[in-house]
Amino acid sequence: MGTIGSFLSFLLAQIFNEYCLGCGAAIPSEPPPPNVTPRHQAFFTAEHTFSPVPGIGMPASVLCGRCWMELVPIFAGNPPELEQVPVLAPFRTGPLLLKLVKYLKYSGGRSAASGLSWWMAQKLICSCNTVNKKITLVPVPLHRSRRRRRGYNQAELVARGVSELTGLGVRTDLIARVRKTRSQAKLPPKGRKQNVAGAFRASGEAGGTGFILVDDIVTTGETAGECLGVLKDAGASPMAVLAAGTSLGD
């Protein structure tokens, strides 16, 4: 970032105070909460930023340290599975995580992607010990009309954040959403499978590709399962599903 960009970032940071999306308290620059494990110290000391415009970096502290630590951690033991593929997530789905993801998806809250992708990358690293750089991250696609209205695909944002932390590549050309669907969150469990049936198709050369499917939250798993099926039919090999949170296994 150049001198002018750094100055503007500093100026904006002075004008716009940061408030926690969870509790509403001002987010101070202070040490991490006392109950943080050594492995997670880096999250609270690293400078997570986002760029509203190229060259302008803004803090991405959407939650205070206390609220980050109040997100419900994922269960211990073997991860849940979807279509015989492990579902990796740092958190269980809960009210605070849902609020954070809704902010990311519906309120232009791109800044939330930085923190979520950090926790997702740590979960992936801890689950795999060493990350195979030949594996590709594949974000669940949005329909072009919804992406145009939103301005971005939240799954792609977190996938690119995970990519920066792990060195894994990201491909957005392997699968496309060819049918506009209703929001899964607004449907009962029985209607979700029908809602996404036939909504995706393989759009690129996927033969032999080892991939990790990336989404924001895996609730009943219907969307992720449909994507896994399409990619497997195209010859790709699923290694895992990676999300910020999941309800599977609860």
Side-chain angles (χ1 to χ4, degrees):
M1 183 183 300
T3 303
I4 295 177
S6 298
F7 174 74
L8 289 175
S9 297
F10 170 79
L11 186 62
L12 288 170
Q14 305 311 306
I15 296 173
F16 297 104
N17 292 324
E18 295 179 83
Y19 294 94
C20 176
L21 193 65
C23 65
I27 301 176
S29 299
E30 59 184 25
N35 58 333
V36 176
T37 60
R39 184 168 67 84
H40 297 144
Q41 289 281 346
F43 173 79
F44 295 97
T45 56
E47 294 183 1
H48 296 283
T49 62
F50 73 104
S51 297
V53 295
I56 304 299
M58 290 292 292
S61 303
V62 292
L63 295 181
C64 66
R66 186 178 301 276
C67 283
W68 274 116
M69 296 310 296
E70 286 183 358
L71 287 172
V72 181
I74 203 66
F75 24 75
N78 294 327
E81 291 190 347
L82 180 65
E83 305 291 338
Q84 299 182 318
V85 175
V87 177
L88 307 178
F91 306 115
R92 289 189 180 103
T93 302
L96 182 55
L97 181 61
L98 286 172
K99 187 173 185 178
L100 187 57
V101 170
K102 287 179 180 178
Y103 172 69
L104 169 63
K105 293 172 67 172
Y106 306 122
S107 301
R110 301 182 192 217
S111 56
S114 177
L116 291 174
S117 61
W118 189 93
W119 290 93
M120 291 164 66
Q122 301 311 304
K123 180 65 178 182
L124 179 60
I125 292 168
C126 289
S127 299
C128 301
N129 293 320
T130 57
V131 178
N132 185 344
K133 299 299 177 63
K134 294 182 180 180
I135 296 175
T136 300
L137 299 172
V138 178
V140 171
L142 281 180
H143 189 269
R144 61 182 179 276
S145 62
R146 185 164 292 168
R147 178 169 185 140
R148 184 166 56 249
R149 184 170 63 252
R150 191 172 298 173
Y152 57 89
N153 175 5
Q154 74 283 348
E156 183 179 342
L157 286 184
V158 293
R160 295 200 180 280
V162 172
S163 172
E164 291 179 5
L165 293 164
T166 61
L168 297 177
V170 178
R171 289 189 64 177
T172 60
D173 64 322
L174 293 183
I175 186 170
R177 190 183 294 248
V178 295
R179 182 170 62 79
K180 188 176 180 181
T181 57
R182 296 173 62 189
S183 171
Q184 291 286 79
K186 298 179 180 179
L187 296 173
K190 290 184 178 180
R192 295 184 178 190
K193 187 174 182 64
Q194 182 178 2
N195 186 47
V196 296
F200 303 94
R201 65 168 172 79
S203 58
E205 180 55 49
T209 301
F211 72 92
I212 294 174
L213 187 70
V214 180
D215 204 357
D216 44 37
I217 287 181
V218 176
T219 306
T220 58
E222 302 297 350
T223 300
E226 188 74 14
C227 291
L228 288 174
V230 167
L231 288 166
K232 285 193 288 187
D233 289 345
S237 302
M239 302 289 108
V241 175
L242 180 64
T246 184
S247 300
L248 298 179
D250 284 355

